[in-house]
Amino acid sequence: MVRFLARHGESRASKAAVISAVPPLMVQTEANPEGLPKSVFDGLQAQLAANRSEFYRALPSGPFYNFDKPGVESSEAIIENWWRQGMMGDALPHCDGIVAFSQTDFTEDLKKITVPTLVMHSVDDQIVPYVAAGPKSAELLQNGTLKTYRDNFPHGMPTTHADVINADLASL
């Protein structure tokens, strides 16, 4: 959404939302010390290449939905659906996607967006660290508002907490 609005304009958008998103930049650099080391993303690619089926089972079973955290009840249906969706794709674009979402710098794109934009991010997101994404995105947007979630809201919060996320989206 960020790249699309920046490249194609906002003439048909009156507002936007950025949910658990990677902007401005995921990978750690000198200019982005809060990002994750490139080795994290290399590891994801290696896991994907080694055993795609296991990769698409392990990620939702653990950090994607915070099912690996104490007090968070796991959902086999959510895990199986995530696995199903992952297995429908091809391994090469999935590996390329890891590079794209981790190394694409959206800083200049965020600065171009002028429509009111709600940035929704959880401090408990284990996939996209809050400090490296949510507050930074909201600051770079010309008309951004940060909505911070707590209480084990995961990266996949639109699935696990749809009632809260949808209500907040409706209030946009």
Side-chain angles (χ1 to χ4, degrees):
M1 182 280 303
V2 168
R3 175 65 42 99
F4 183 87
L5 286 176
R7 284 188 178 175
H8 303 290
E10 305 166 330
S11 64
R12 297 189 311 169
S14 61
K15 52 191 168 183
V18 177
I19 306 173
S20 302
V22 300
L25 177 63
M26 280 284 295
V27 74
Q28 188 177 59
T29 64
E30 226 175 84
N32 187 39
E34 295 89 3
L36 295 172
K38 186 176 178 299
S39 61
V40 170
F41 305 107
D42 293 343
L44 290 174
Q45 286 181 302
Q47 291 168 39
L48 182 64
N51 188 333
R52 243 176 82 216
S53 184
E54 181 58 35
F55 177 81
Y56 286 117
R57 180 88 182 151
L59 206 56
S61 297
F64 195 89
Y65 294 109
N66 286 356
F67 291 154
D68 59 344
K69 294 185 109 183
V72 177
E73 188 175 336
S74 180
S75 168
E76 193 59 33
I78 290 173
I79 294 165
E80 287 179 15
N81 188 48
W82 212 88
W83 175 87
R84 178 190 58 80
Q85 291 178 64
M87 293 305 293
M88 288 184 351
D90 183 78
L92 181 58
H94 289 165
C95 278
D96 291 345
I98 292 169
V99 173
F101 81 69
S102 66
Q103 296 180 33
T104 302
D105 189 343
F106 294 96
T107 301
E108 295 307 313
D109 296 310
L110 288 162
K111 290 177 182 179
K112 292 178 184 176
I113 298 172
T114 63
V115 296
T117 304
L118 180 60
V119 178
M120 306 164 81
H121 212 107
S122 171
V123 296
D124 291 325
D125 187 327
Q126 296 184 77
I127 302 298
V128 179
Y130 173 84
V131 69
K136 287 184 174 185
S137 289
E139 287 174 19
L140 290 166
L141 290 159
Q142 292 183 40
N143 199 2
T145 301
L146 177 62
K147 173 72 178 179
T148 301
Y149 298 89
R150 300 180 191 288
D151 302 322
N152 278 328
F153 273 51
H155 182 72
M157 64 187 183
T159 300
T160 59
H161 295 81
D163 56 336
V164 175
I165 301 304
N166 288 334
D168 289 344
L169 285 170
S171 70
L172 251 175

